[in-house]
Amino acid sequence: MYKVTRYEAEISTKEYLKKFVDVETFLQACKVCPNYDKIWSCPSYDFDVIAYWKKYKTLRLIASKIEFEKDMLEKIYEPTELVSILDRVLPVEKQKLTDELLAMEKDFPGSISLSAGSCSRCRNGCTRPEGKPCLFPDTMRYSIESLGGNVGLTIEKLMGIHLEWMEEGRLPHHFVLVCGLLLP
């Protein structure tokens, strides 16, 4: 069905902030997302995002490039078929990355991981819209893009991967899940 290729890169957070972070631009993009102010891992935040980055010295990036088989790429899908494929693939690969990163946090005291996309821990919905605290504060993680990081530019410049987008009825050649580990 698909194969996964792993990519890694490492950069100082100081350099990452200078070359790849634009909080205001990505905050504007987040504001049109249905997760804005609805999920604890997504903006708006009650903390200074730049100060959050600056608490760490190094960003270790990990990407999983998910490439679909040729026969899947040639087919035209109904919207429900595309959703079904993505629901079978992306959460599985994202969970693998999440588990790996949480284990890495234990190996590197003081580190914190950055999720590939928004939090999906709560199966029955996040508690944020109810004004309640996060049910899993020990494992909820922010994504690179929610903290202003330009993931497309990041993987292009640091990993040589170009993002692809779905065209109507077709799978892209690949999806890329990008996450990271902030190290003290």
Side-chain angles (χ1 to χ4, degrees):
M1 180 178 197
Y2 66 92
K3 75 173 187 170
V4 178
T5 306
R6 181 183 175 112
Y7 293 78
E8 293 186 27
E10 197 166 281
I11 187 170
S12 74
T13 52
K14 183 177 182 177
E15 185 179 358
Y16 193 77
L17 275 166
K18 183 178 175 182
K19 293 182 177 180
F20 301 100
V21 175
D22 182 349
V23 174
E24 192 53 41
T25 296
F26 284 88
L27 181 61
Q28 291 307 313
C30 286
K31 284 181 179 179
V32 299
C33 175
N35 290 339
Y36 185 81
D37 274 340
K38 301 280 188 299
I39 296 179
W40 283 114
S41 66
C42 295
S44 64
Y45 296 132
D46 63 356
F47 60 88
D48 181 332
V49 171
I50 298 297
Y52 187 88
W53 283 106
K54 287 182 175 181
K55 291 190 297 185
Y56 302 94
K57 290 183 180 169
T58 304
L59 172 59
R60 181 174 296 164
L61 294 154
I62 301 170
S64 288
K65 182 179 178 184
I66 301 163
E67 297 173 276
F68 296 97
E69 292 177 357
K70 186 178 178 183
D71 62 322
M72 293 180 72
L73 297 174
E74 293 171 349
K75 185 176 177 188
I76 296 176
Y77 297 92
E78 293 296 322
T80 55
E81 290 176 299
L82 284 172
V83 169
S84 177
I85 292 168
L86 299 181
D87 284 350
R88 286 193 318 264
V89 174
L90 297 180
V92 169
E93 295 305 322
K94 180 179 173 178
Q95 190 60 53
K96 288 177 187 176
L97 289 169
T98 298
D99 293 344
E100 179 181 352
L101 284 163
L102 290 175
M104 287 174 73
E105 286 180 14
K106 292 177 184 171
D107 293 337
F108 297 96
S111 67
I112 191 87
S113 57
L114 298 172
S115 175
S118 64
C119 182
S120 53
R121 182 99 161 85
C122 294
R123 302 288 178 231
N124 296 322
C126 184
T127 57
R128 187 172 182 177
E130 301 164 23
K132 295 179 181 174
C134 176
L135 295 176
F136 302 99
D138 294 341
T139 56
M140 185 280 296
R141 297 293 181 265
Y142 306 111
S143 68
I144 294 169
E145 52 270 55
S146 79
L147 297 173
N150 185 331
V151 171
L153 185 62
T154 297
I155 64 170
E156 184 176 314
K157 298 294 184 187
L158 300 178
M159 298 175 176
I161 306 170
H162 298 284
L163 285 182
E164 288 193 15
W165 304 100
M166 288 196 327
E167 294 178 17
E168 191 164 332
R170 294 192 176 272
L171 287 168
H173 290 92
H174 63 263
F175 280 100
V176 183
L177 297 175
V178 183
C179 54
L181 185 69
L182 286 165
L183 297 156

